[in-house]
């Protein structure tokens, strides 16, 4: 084991978040621009008070637990029965990957995250939810990891991606143009992910341009899109590309 792994294991074992990760317990410590999200912390992670770790960006990027749970249920029900592996390409602090592991549907869940601090949070948070052992973790660029380490898994896998949308500013567009999403456009995501696996789920802004999604349906197949709501308001959509069957 190299020194870096030992260091990160020490951080992981400790309950003190490493630099760049926080567990806020007092509103006065929370930067003003994320206070809105801090008020919702127990909707974001129902076990927040057990010591959930967040990065600054995670507060507005993480999938809230009720949404992550519903998405995980949909993916579990609708994916072809032959698929036994779930790959989460942008695991962040673990909102989705924890829900996928908790669904019990997958023989193995693979989580990829480029940002080391977010990955440390995700591992720690998965431990709080008791699913750490069901998840294989990869630090790095998901496109490289899918091409190399995970290349053989494609035929057995459903690939899920909740990419960055370019920050909370996405809300200023009435219709969100997926060809201009930053840092990855719709096609930057779909092309490599569909090369690996036939079944791909994208978690995208609620205002995403439906025509752009429909244009990516192959042949006569339809792309199902669901809104995921909390308290009656849509938080985001998922677009299901591939052989998903919804009853
Ligand atoms: P929001 O628009 O910031 O909050 O995020 P809300 O509560 O709908 O704001 P309101 O004031 O309009 O009511 C809504 C959801 O979008 C969040 O819960 C996240 O799941 C998701 N989300 C937001 N951003 C900026 C991102 C992102 O960059 N990437 C991903 N994958 N999800 C995001």
């Amino acid at each position: 084991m190299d020194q870096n792994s030992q260091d990160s294991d020490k951080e992981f074992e400790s309950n003190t978040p490493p630099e760049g990760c926080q567990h806020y317990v007092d509103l006065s410590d929370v930067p003003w621009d994320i206070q809105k999200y801090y008020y919702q912390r127990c909707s974001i992670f129902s076990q927040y008070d057990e010591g959930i770790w967040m990065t600054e960006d995670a507060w507005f990027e993480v999938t809230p637990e009720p949404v992550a749970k519903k998405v995980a249920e949909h993916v579990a029900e609708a994916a072809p029965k032959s698929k036994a592996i779930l790959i989460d390409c942008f695991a962040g602090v673990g909102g989705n990957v924890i829900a996928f592991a908790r669904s019990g549907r997958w023989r193995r869940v693979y989580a990829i995250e480029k940002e080391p601090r977010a990955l440390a949070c995700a591992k720690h948070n998965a431990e709080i939810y008791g699913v750490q052992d069901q998840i294989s973790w990869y630090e790095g660029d998901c496109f490289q990891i899918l091409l190399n380490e995970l290349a053989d898994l494609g035929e057995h896998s459903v690939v899920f991606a909740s990419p960055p949308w370019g920050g909370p500013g996405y809300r200023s567009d009435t219709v969100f143009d997926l060809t201009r999403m930053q840092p990855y456009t719709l096609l930057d995501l779909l092309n490599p992910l569909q090369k690996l696996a036939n079944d791909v789920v994208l978690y995208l802004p609620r205002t995403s341009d439906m025509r752009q999604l429909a244009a990516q349906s192959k042949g006569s197949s339809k792309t199902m899109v669901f809104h995921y709501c909390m308290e009656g308001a849509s938080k985001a959509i998922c677009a299901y590309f591939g052989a998903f069957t919804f009853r």
Side-chain angles (χ1 to χ4, degrees), residues 2-43:
D2 62 26
Q3 188 59 42
N4 284 347
S5 320
Q6 282 179 7
D7 288 344
S8 64
D9 279 354
K10 270 189 224 138
E11 286 173 353
F12 177 46
E13 278 158 26
S14 142
N15 274 332
T16 310
E19 203 188 332
C21 306
Q22 315 89 25
H23 174 75
Y24 292 123
V25 289
D26 193 326
L27 182 65
S28 61
D29 294 331
V30 181
W32 66 269
D33 54 335
I34 55 176
Q35 289 190 356
K36 161 186 147 178
Y37 301 101
Y38 178 73
Y39 282 117
Q40 301 167 29
R41 60 197 178 282
C42 292
S43 309

mmCIF file of all heavy atoms in Angstrom, residues 2-43:
data_model
loop_
_atom_site.group_PDB
_atom_site.id
_atom_site.type_symbol
_atom_site.label_atom_id
_atom_site.label_comp_id
_atom_site.label_asym_id
_atom_site.label_seq_id
_atom_site.Cartn_x
_atom_site.Cartn_y
_atom_site.Cartn_z
ATOM 1 N N ASP A 2 0.612 2.223 -0.879
ATOM 2 C CA ASP A 2 1.467 3.393 -0.908
ATOM 3 C C ASP A 2 1.060 4.407 0.174
ATOM 4 O O ASP A 2 0.035 4.259 0.839
ATOM 5 C CB ASP A 2 1.477 4.043 -2.305
ATOM 6 C CG ASP A 2 0.113 4.532 -2.711
ATOM 7 O OD1 ASP A 2 -0.708 4.843 -1.822
ATOM 8 O OD2 ASP A 2 -0.147 4.599 -3.902
ATOM 9 N N GLN A 3 1.929 5.433 0.339
ATOM 10 C CA GLN A 3 1.709 6.400 1.421
ATOM 11 C C GLN A 3 0.366 7.113 1.264
ATOM 12 O O GLN A 3 -0.357 7.307 2.247
ATOM 13 C CB GLN A 3 2.858 7.419 1.422
ATOM 14 C CG GLN A 3 2.860 8.358 2.615
ATOM 15 C CD GLN A 3 2.961 7.602 3.946
ATOM 16 O OE1 GLN A 3 3.721 6.663 4.067
ATOM 17 N NE2 GLN A 3 2.149 7.980 4.914
ATOM 18 N N ASN A 4 0.023 7.454 0.003
ATOM 19 C CA ASN A 4 -1.239 8.170 -0.222
ATOM 20 C C ASN A 4 -2.425 7.345 0.238
ATOM 21 O O ASN A 4 -3.350 7.847 0.859
ATOM 22 C CB ASN A 4 -1.419 8.486 -1.703
ATOM 23 C CG ASN A 4 -0.538 9.626 -2.103
ATOM 24 O OD1 ASN A 4 -0.008 10.307 -1.232
ATOM 25 N ND2 ASN A 4 -0.361 9.812 -3.400
ATOM 26 N N SER A 5 -2.400 6.030 -0.083
ATOM 27 C CA SER A 5 -3.527 5.192 0.313
ATOM 28 C C SER A 5 -3.608 5.112 1.825
ATOM 29 O O SER A 5 -4.684 5.140 2.413
ATOM 30 C CB SER A 5 -3.393 3.770 -0.224
ATOM 31 O OG SER A 5 -2.909 3.786 -1.501
ATOM 32 N N GLN A 6 -2.384 5.001 2.491
ATOM 33 C CA GLN A 6 -2.404 4.920 3.954
ATOM 34 C C GLN A 6 -2.992 6.189 4.543
ATOM 35 O O GLN A 6 -3.801 6.139 5.464
ATOM 36 C CB GLN A 6 -0.988 4.720 4.482
ATOM 37 C CG GLN A 6 -0.522 3.291 4.320
ATOM 38 C CD GLN A 6 0.901 3.124 4.834
ATOM 39 O OE1 GLN A 6 1.456 4.034 5.419
ATOM 40 N NE2 GLN A 6 1.462 1.964 4.588
ATOM 41 N N ASP A 7 -2.562 7.336 3.969
ATOM 42 C CA ASP A 7 -3.074 8.617 4.477
ATOM 43 C C ASP A 7 -4.573 8.697 4.315
ATOM 44 O O ASP A 7 -5.298 9.070 5.230
ATOM 45 C CB ASP A 7 -2.418 9.792 3.746
ATOM 46 C CG ASP A 7 -0.969 9.954 4.159
ATOM 47 O OD1 ASP A 7 -0.591 9.372 5.193
ATOM 48 O OD2 ASP A 7 -0.243 10.643 3.457
ATOM 49 N N SER A 8 -5.064 8.319 3.108
ATOM 50 C CA SER A 8 -6.502 8.472 2.901
ATOM 51 C C SER A 8 -7.271 7.466 3.747
ATOM 52 O O SER A 8 -8.364 7.739 4.208
ATOM 53 C CB SER A 8 -6.874 8.388 1.428
ATOM 54 O OG SER A 8 -6.565 7.127 0.955
ATOM 55 N N ASP A 9 -6.674 6.288 4.015
ATOM 56 C CA ASP A 9 -7.355 5.330 4.892
ATOM 57 C C ASP A 9 -7.474 5.883 6.305
ATOM 58 O O ASP A 9 -8.491 5.727 6.965
ATOM 59 C CB ASP A 9 -6.609 3.999 4.930
ATOM 60 C CG ASP A 9 -6.953 3.163 3.707
ATOM 61 O OD1 ASP A 9 -7.832 3.609 2.944
ATOM 62 O OD2 ASP A 9 -6.337 2.113 3.525
ATOM 63 N N LYS A 10 -6.371 6.589 6.740
ATOM 64 C CA LYS A 10 -6.412 7.161 8.091
ATOM 65 C C LYS A 10 -7.530 8.187 8.189
ATOM 66 O O LYS A 10 -8.295 8.212 9.128
ATOM 67 C CB LYS A 10 -5.069 7.812 8.429
ATOM 68 C CG LYS A 10 -4.107 6.825 9.079
ATOM 69 C CD LYS A 10 -2.878 7.546 9.589
ATOM 70 C CE LYS A 10 -1.640 6.756 9.226
ATOM 71 N NZ LYS A 10 -0.538 7.562 8.764
ATOM 72 N N GLU A 11 -7.617 9.038 7.133
ATOM 73 C CA GLU A 11 -8.666 10.052 7.137
ATOM 74 C C GLU A 11 -10.035 9.397 7.163
ATOM 75 O O GLU A 11 -10.946 9.827 7.857
ATOM 76 C CB GLU A 11 -8.568 10.905 5.866
ATOM 77 C CG GLU A 11 -7.427 11.871 5.884
ATOM 78 C CD GLU A 11 -7.261 12.566 4.532
ATOM 79 O OE1 GLU A 11 -7.948 12.194 3.564
ATOM 80 O OE2 GLU A 11 -6.443 13.462 4.463
ATOM 81 N N PHE A 12 -10.157 8.315 6.397
ATOM 82 C CA PHE A 12 -11.440 7.658 6.260
ATOM 83 C C PHE A 12 -11.887 7.051 7.587
ATOM 84 O O PHE A 12 -13.046 7.123 7.969
ATOM 85 C CB PHE A 12 -11.289 6.599 5.161
ATOM 86 C CG PHE A 12 -12.512 5.780 4.937
ATOM 87 C CD1 PHE A 12 -13.750 6.382 4.848
ATOM 88 C CD2 PHE A 12 -12.417 4.420 4.814
ATOM 89 C CE1 PHE A 12 -14.877 5.633 4.636
ATOM 90 C CE2 PHE A 12 -13.546 3.657 4.606
ATOM 91 C CZ PHE A 12 -14.768 4.271 4.520
ATOM 92 N N GLU A 13 -10.875 6.477 8.330
ATOM 93 C CA GLU A 13 -11.212 5.845 9.602
ATOM 94 C C GLU A 13 -11.602 6.882 10.653
ATOM 95 O O GLU A 13 -12.374 6.615 11.549
ATOM 96 C CB GLU A 13 -10.007 5.057 10.115
ATOM 97 C CG GLU A 13 -9.913 3.678 9.466
ATOM 98 C CD GLU A 13 -8.504 3.110 9.517
ATOM 99 O OE1 GLU A 13 -7.752 3.494 10.423
ATOM 100 O OE2 GLU A 13 -8.173 2.325 8.637
ATOM 101 N N SER A 14 -11.022 8.082 10.507
ATOM 102 C CA SER A 14 -11.282 9.098 11.513
ATOM 103 C C SER A 14 -12.641 9.740 11.259
ATOM 104 O O SER A 14 -13.151 9.721 10.152
ATOM 105 C CB SER A 14 -10.178 10.141 11.402
ATOM 106 O OG SER A 14 -10.677 11.405 11.591
ATOM 107 N N ASN A 15 -13.222 10.310 12.308
ATOM 108 C CA ASN A 15 -14.493 10.999 12.099
ATOM 109 C C ASN A 15 -14.304 12.475 11.823
ATOM 110 O O ASN A 15 -15.264 13.206 11.663
ATOM 111 C CB ASN A 15 -15.414 10.782 13.303
ATOM 112 C CG ASN A 15 -16.174 9.492 13.128
ATOM 113 O OD1 ASN A 15 -16.414 9.060 12.002
ATOM 114 N ND2 ASN A 15 -16.520 8.864 14.232
ATOM 115 N N THR A 16 -13.049 12.912 11.783
ATOM 116 C CA THR A 16 -12.775 14.306 11.455
ATOM 117 C C THR A 16 -12.669 14.421 9.944
ATOM 118 O O THR A 16 -11.832 13.758 9.340
ATOM 119 C CB THR A 16 -11.425 14.739 12.079
ATOM 120 O OG1 THR A 16 -11.451 14.369 13.438
ATOM 121 C CG2 THR A 16 -11.186 16.219 11.911
ATOM 122 N N PRO A 17 -13.521 15.247 9.316
ATOM 123 C CA PRO A 17 -13.440 15.342 7.851
ATOM 124 C C PRO A 17 -12.081 15.868 7.406
ATOM 125 O O PRO A 17 -11.540 16.781 8.042
ATOM 126 C CB PRO A 17 -14.550 16.344 7.496
ATOM 127 C CG PRO A 17 -15.377 16.509 8.711
ATOM 128 C CD PRO A 17 -14.554 16.095 9.887
ATOM 129 N N PRO A 18 -11.511 15.321 6.338
ATOM 130 C CA PRO A 18 -10.259 15.861 5.817
ATOM 131 C C PRO A 18 -10.489 17.257 5.236
ATOM 132 O O PRO A 18 -11.636 17.662 5.015
ATOM 133 C CB PRO A 18 -9.867 14.866 4.717
ATOM 134 C CG PRO A 18 -11.110 14.131 4.376
ATOM 135 C CD PRO A 18 -12.023 14.188 5.561
ATOM 136 N N GLU A 19 -9.395 17.966 4.977
ATOM 137 C CA GLU A 19 -9.502 19.328 4.430
ATOM 138 C C GLU A 19 -10.345 19.305 3.153
ATOM 139 O O GLU A 19 -10.176 18.418 2.306
ATOM 140 C CB GLU A 19 -8.097 19.839 4.105
ATOM 141 C CG GLU A 19 -8.030 21.335 4.076
ATOM 142 C CD GLU A 19 -6.676 21.800 3.570
ATOM 143 O OE1 GLU A 19 -5.685 21.077 3.754
ATOM 144 O OE2 GLU A 19 -6.655 22.884 2.963
ATOM 145 N N GLY A 20 -11.277 20.257 3.055
ATOM 146 C CA GLY A 20 -12.123 20.317 1.854
ATOM 147 C C GLY A 20 -13.430 19.562 2.029
ATOM 148 O O GLY A 20 -14.295 19.613 1.158
ATOM 149 N N CYS A 21 -13.566 18.829 3.124
ATOM 150 C CA CYS A 21 -14.841 18.151 3.434
ATOM 151 C C CYS A 21 -15.359 18.755 4.748
ATOM 152 O O CYS A 21 -14.559 19.105 5.609
ATOM 153 C CB CYS A 21 -14.642 16.656 3.663
ATOM 154 S SG CYS A 21 -13.787 15.808 2.331
ATOM 155 N N GLN A 22 -16.677 18.868 4.869
ATOM 156 C CA GLN A 22 -17.206 19.413 6.124
ATOM 157 C C GLN A 22 -18.399 18.603 6.594
ATOM 158 O O GLN A 22 -19.098 17.994 5.787
ATOM 159 C CB GLN A 22 -17.719 20.861 6.002
ATOM 160 C CG GLN A 22 -16.865 21.836 5.256
ATOM 161 C CD GLN A 22 -17.175 21.859 3.775
ATOM 162 O OE1 GLN A 22 -18.279 21.512 3.356
ATOM 163 N NE2 GLN A 22 -16.195 22.255 2.962
ATOM 164 N N HIS A 23 -18.579 18.658 7.930
ATOM 165 C CA HIS A 23 -19.867 18.250 8.497
ATOM 166 C C HIS A 23 -20.331 19.425 9.350
ATOM 167 O O HIS A 23 -19.934 19.570 10.501
ATOM 168 C CB HIS A 23 -19.732 16.984 9.351
ATOM 169 C CG HIS A 23 -21.025 16.659 10.052
ATOM 170 N ND1 HIS A 23 -22.103 16.117 9.386
ATOM 171 C CD2 HIS A 23 -21.436 16.848 11.334
ATOM 172 C CE1 HIS A 23 -23.112 15.983 10.234
ATOM 173 N NE2 HIS A 23 -22.736 16.425 11.415
ATOM 174 N N TYR A 24 -21.129 20.306 8.747
ATOM 175 C CA TYR A 24 -21.575 21.481 9.494
ATOM 176 C C TYR A 24 -22.620 21.093 10.532
ATOM 177 O O TYR A 24 -23.521 20.297 10.240
ATOM 178 C CB TYR A 24 -22.210 22.515 8.547
ATOM 179 C CG TYR A 24 -21.233 23.160 7.586
ATOM 180 C CD1 TYR A 24 -21.453 23.093 6.214
ATOM 181 C CD2 TYR A 24 -20.120 23.851 8.048
ATOM 182 C CE1 TYR A 24 -20.576 23.706 5.324
ATOM 183 C CE2 TYR A 24 -19.241 24.461 7.158
ATOM 184 C CZ TYR A 24 -19.469 24.380 5.806
ATOM 185 O OH TYR A 24 -18.597 24.970 4.932
ATOM 186 N N VAL A 25 -22.488 21.682 11.732
ATOM 187 C CA VAL A 25 -23.528 21.481 12.742
ATOM 188 C C VAL A 25 -24.107 22.806 13.211
ATOM 189 O O VAL A 25 -25.071 22.824 13.966
ATOM 190 C CB VAL A 25 -23.010 20.682 13.973
ATOM 191 C CG1 VAL A 25 -22.765 19.236 13.615
ATOM 192 C CG2 VAL A 25 -21.755 21.296 14.559
ATOM 193 N N ASP A 26 -23.503 23.893 12.760
ATOM 194 C CA ASP A 26 -23.934 25.205 13.234
ATOM 195 C C ASP A 26 -24.102 26.132 12.024
ATOM 196 O O ASP A 26 -23.156 26.302 11.245
ATOM 197 C CB ASP A 26 -22.833 25.741 14.171
ATOM 198 C CG ASP A 26 -23.325 26.933 14.965
ATOM 199 O OD1 ASP A 26 -24.141 27.708 14.409
ATOM 200 O OD2 ASP A 26 -22.895 27.087 16.121
ATOM 201 N N LEU A 27 -25.288 26.715 11.908
ATOM 202 C CA LEU A 27 -25.594 27.567 10.751
ATOM 203 C C LEU A 27 -24.559 28.681 10.571
ATOM 204 O O LEU A 27 -24.224 29.055 9.450
ATOM 205 C CB LEU A 27 -27.002 28.156 10.912
ATOM 206 C CG LEU A 27 -27.492 29.027 9.757
ATOM 207 C CD1 LEU A 27 -27.660 28.226 8.466
ATOM 208 C CD2 LEU A 27 -28.811 29.718 10.119
ATOM 209 N N SER A 28 -24.022 29.164 11.700
ATOM 210 C CA SER A 28 -23.092 30.304 11.597
ATOM 211 C C SER A 28 -21.781 29.904 10.893
ATOM 212 O O SER A 28 -21.041 30.774 10.443
ATOM 213 C CB SER A 28 -22.797 30.888 12.980
ATOM 214 O OG SER A 28 -22.187 29.894 13.764
ATOM 215 N N ASP A 29 -21.504 28.604 10.792
ATOM 216 C CA ASP A 29 -20.289 28.160 10.072
ATOM 217 C C ASP A 29 -20.541 27.988 8.577
ATOM 218 O O ASP A 29 -19.611 27.743 7.807
ATOM 219 C CB ASP A 29 -19.823 26.785 10.606
ATOM 220 C CG ASP A 29 -19.359 26.872 12.038
ATOM 221 O OD1 ASP A 29 -18.885 27.955 12.428
ATOM 222 O OD2 ASP A 29 -19.500 25.866 12.761
ATOM 223 N N VAL A 30 -21.812 28.053 8.158
ATOM 224 C CA VAL A 30 -22.160 27.686 6.778
ATOM 225 C C VAL A 30 -22.090 28.916 5.881
ATOM 226 O O VAL A 30 -22.708 29.938 6.195
ATOM 227 C CB VAL A 30 -23.605 27.085 6.735
ATOM 228 C CG1 VAL A 30 -23.965 26.667 5.316
ATOM 229 C CG2 VAL A 30 -23.731 25.916 7.700
ATOM 230 N N PRO A 31 -21.330 28.861 4.766
ATOM 231 C CA PRO A 31 -21.298 30.013 3.854
ATOM 232 C C PRO A 31 -22.709 30.397 3.420
ATOM 233 O O PRO A 31 -23.560 29.518 3.225
ATOM 234 C CB PRO A 31 -20.479 29.489 2.659
ATOM 235 C CG PRO A 31 -19.695 28.325 3.180
ATOM 236 C CD PRO A 31 -20.522 27.732 4.285
ATOM 237 N N TRP A 32 -22.944 31.710 3.253
ATOM 238 C CA TRP A 32 -24.307 32.199 3.029
ATOM 239 C C TRP A 32 -24.959 31.537 1.816
ATOM 240 O O TRP A 32 -26.158 31.263 1.804
ATOM 241 C CB TRP A 32 -24.321 33.726 2.881
ATOM 242 C CG TRP A 32 -23.601 34.197 1.640
ATOM 243 C CD1 TRP A 32 -22.286 34.526 1.539
ATOM 244 C CD2 TRP A 32 -24.150 34.336 0.328
ATOM 245 N NE1 TRP A 32 -21.972 34.860 0.252
ATOM 246 C CE2 TRP A 32 -23.094 34.757 -0.523
ATOM 247 C CE3 TRP A 32 -25.428 34.167 -0.228
ATOM 248 C CZ2 TRP A 32 -23.287 34.992 -1.891
ATOM 249 C CZ3 TRP A 32 -25.611 34.402 -1.581
ATOM 250 C CH2 TRP A 32 -24.561 34.809 -2.394
ATOM 251 N N ASP A 33 -24.135 31.272 0.760
ATOM 252 C CA ASP A 33 -24.753 30.778 -0.479
ATOM 253 C C ASP A 33 -25.162 29.318 -0.396
ATOM 254 O O ASP A 33 -25.847 28.831 -1.299
ATOM 255 C CB ASP A 33 -23.817 31.017 -1.681
ATOM 256 C CG ASP A 33 -22.434 30.439 -1.474
ATOM 257 O OD1 ASP A 33 -22.022 30.294 -0.299
ATOM 258 O OD2 ASP A 33 -21.767 30.116 -2.468
ATOM 259 N N ILE A 34 -24.772 28.622 0.666
ATOM 260 C CA ILE A 34 -25.279 27.242 0.785
ATOM 261 C C ILE A 34 -26.192 27.054 1.994
ATOM 262 O O ILE A 34 -26.626 25.942 2.285
ATOM 263 C CB ILE A 34 -24.145 26.191 0.758
ATOM 264 C CG1 ILE A 34 -23.096 26.458 1.805
ATOM 265 C CG2 ILE A 34 -23.531 26.057 -0.606
ATOM 266 C CD1 ILE A 34 -22.015 25.374 1.844
ATOM 267 N N GLN A 35 -26.538 28.177 2.654
ATOM 268 C CA GLN A 35 -27.396 28.046 3.834
ATOM 269 C C GLN A 35 -28.767 27.466 3.464
ATOM 270 O O GLN A 35 -29.336 26.658 4.194
ATOM 271 C CB GLN A 35 -27.559 29.389 4.535
ATOM 272 C CG GLN A 35 -26.246 29.789 5.217
ATOM 273 C CD GLN A 35 -26.357 30.982 6.129
ATOM 274 O OE1 GLN A 35 -27.413 31.601 6.237
ATOM 275 N NE2 GLN A 35 -25.250 31.320 6.780
ATOM 276 N N LYS A 36 -29.268 27.839 2.274
ATOM 277 C CA LYS A 36 -30.561 27.318 1.799
ATOM 278 C C LYS A 36 -30.531 25.780 1.779
ATOM 279 O O LYS A 36 -31.495 25.109 2.130
ATOM 280 C CB LYS A 36 -30.811 27.887 0.399
ATOM 281 C CG LYS A 36 -31.808 27.159 -0.435
ATOM 282 C CD LYS A 36 -31.880 27.694 -1.860
ATOM 283 C CE LYS A 36 -32.204 26.591 -2.837
ATOM 284 N NZ LYS A 36 -32.350 26.982 -4.206
ATOM 285 N N TYR A 37 -29.411 25.233 1.340
ATOM 286 C CA TYR A 37 -29.285 23.767 1.245
ATOM 287 C C TYR A 37 -29.072 23.153 2.628
ATOM 288 O O TYR A 37 -29.532 22.054 2.904
ATOM 289 C CB TYR A 37 -28.131 23.389 0.299
ATOM 290 C CG TYR A 37 -28.318 23.942 -1.102
ATOM 291 C CD1 TYR A 37 -27.639 25.081 -1.521
ATOM 292 C CD2 TYR A 37 -29.205 23.343 -1.985
ATOM 293 C CE1 TYR A 37 -27.822 25.605 -2.789
ATOM 294 C CE2 TYR A 37 -29.393 23.867 -3.262
ATOM 295 C CZ TYR A 37 -28.701 24.994 -3.658
ATOM 296 O OH TYR A 37 -28.897 25.505 -4.915
ATOM 297 N N TYR A 38 -28.355 23.899 3.494
ATOM 298 C CA TYR A 38 -28.108 23.388 4.845
ATOM 299 C C TYR A 38 -29.432 23.186 5.594
ATOM 300 O O TYR A 38 -29.597 22.204 6.308
ATOM 301 C CB TYR A 38 -27.184 24.350 5.603
ATOM 302 C CG TYR A 38 -26.928 23.905 7.027
ATOM 303 C CD1 TYR A 38 -26.109 22.815 7.308
ATOM 304 C CD2 TYR A 38 -27.527 24.570 8.095
ATOM 305 C CE1 TYR A 38 -25.892 22.400 8.616
ATOM 306 C CE2 TYR A 38 -27.308 24.162 9.407
ATOM 307 C CZ TYR A 38 -26.488 23.085 9.661
ATOM 308 O OH TYR A 38 -26.286 22.674 10.951
ATOM 309 N N TYR A 39 -30.386 24.101 5.372
ATOM 310 C CA TYR A 39 -31.694 23.931 6.021
ATOM 311 C C TYR A 39 -32.351 22.617 5.592
ATOM 312 O O TYR A 39 -33.159 22.058 6.315
ATOM 313 C CB TYR A 39 -32.625 25.103 5.668
ATOM 314 C CG TYR A 39 -32.332 26.365 6.455
ATOM 315 C CD1 TYR A 39 -31.908 27.522 5.804
ATOM 316 C CD2 TYR A 39 -32.483 26.400 7.836
ATOM 317 C CE1 TYR A 39 -31.629 28.682 6.512
ATOM 318 C CE2 TYR A 39 -32.213 27.556 8.558
ATOM 319 C CZ TYR A 39 -31.784 28.690 7.896
ATOM 320 O OH TYR A 39 -31.509 29.818 8.606
ATOM 321 N N GLN A 40 -32.015 22.152 4.377
ATOM 322 C CA GLN A 40 -32.635 20.917 3.844
ATOM 323 C C GLN A 40 -31.768 19.690 4.105
ATOM 324 O O GLN A 40 -31.967 18.648 3.484
ATOM 325 C CB GLN A 40 -32.829 21.056 2.336
ATOM 326 C CG GLN A 40 -33.700 22.229 1.929
ATOM 327 C CD GLN A 40 -33.603 22.511 0.425
ATOM 328 O OE1 GLN A 40 -33.357 21.634 -0.385
ATOM 329 N NE2 GLN A 40 -33.779 23.760 0.047
ATOM 330 N N ARG A 41 -30.766 19.807 4.996
ATOM 331 C CA ARG A 41 -29.745 18.749 5.099
ATOM 332 C C ARG A 41 -30.323 17.370 5.389
ATOM 333 O O ARG A 41 -29.819 16.373 4.865
ATOM 334 C CB ARG A 41 -28.686 19.126 6.150
ATOM 335 C CG ARG A 41 -29.232 19.319 7.560
ATOM 336 C CD ARG A 41 -28.227 20.071 8.414
ATOM 337 N NE ARG A 41 -28.723 20.325 9.768
ATOM 338 C CZ ARG A 41 -29.591 21.290 10.081
ATOM 339 N NH1 ARG A 41 -30.090 22.085 9.148
ATOM 340 N NH2 ARG A 41 -29.984 21.450 11.338
ATOM 341 N N CYS A 42 -31.398 17.302 6.189
ATOM 342 C CA CYS A 42 -31.933 15.972 6.514
ATOM 343 C C CYS A 42 -32.842 15.441 5.405
ATOM 344 O O CYS A 42 -33.189 14.258 5.401
ATOM 345 C CB CYS A 42 -32.650 15.980 7.865
ATOM 346 S SG CYS A 42 -31.447 16.245 9.187
ATOM 347 N N SER A 43 -33.231 16.311 4.443
ATOM 348 C CA SER A 43 -33.885 15.809 3.229
ATOM 349 C C SER A 43 -32.829 15.349 2.242
ATOM 350 O O SER A 43 -33.078 14.465 1.430
ATOM 351 C CB SER A 43 -34.710 16.890 2.537
ATOM 352 O OG SER A 43 -35.563 17.505 3.428
#
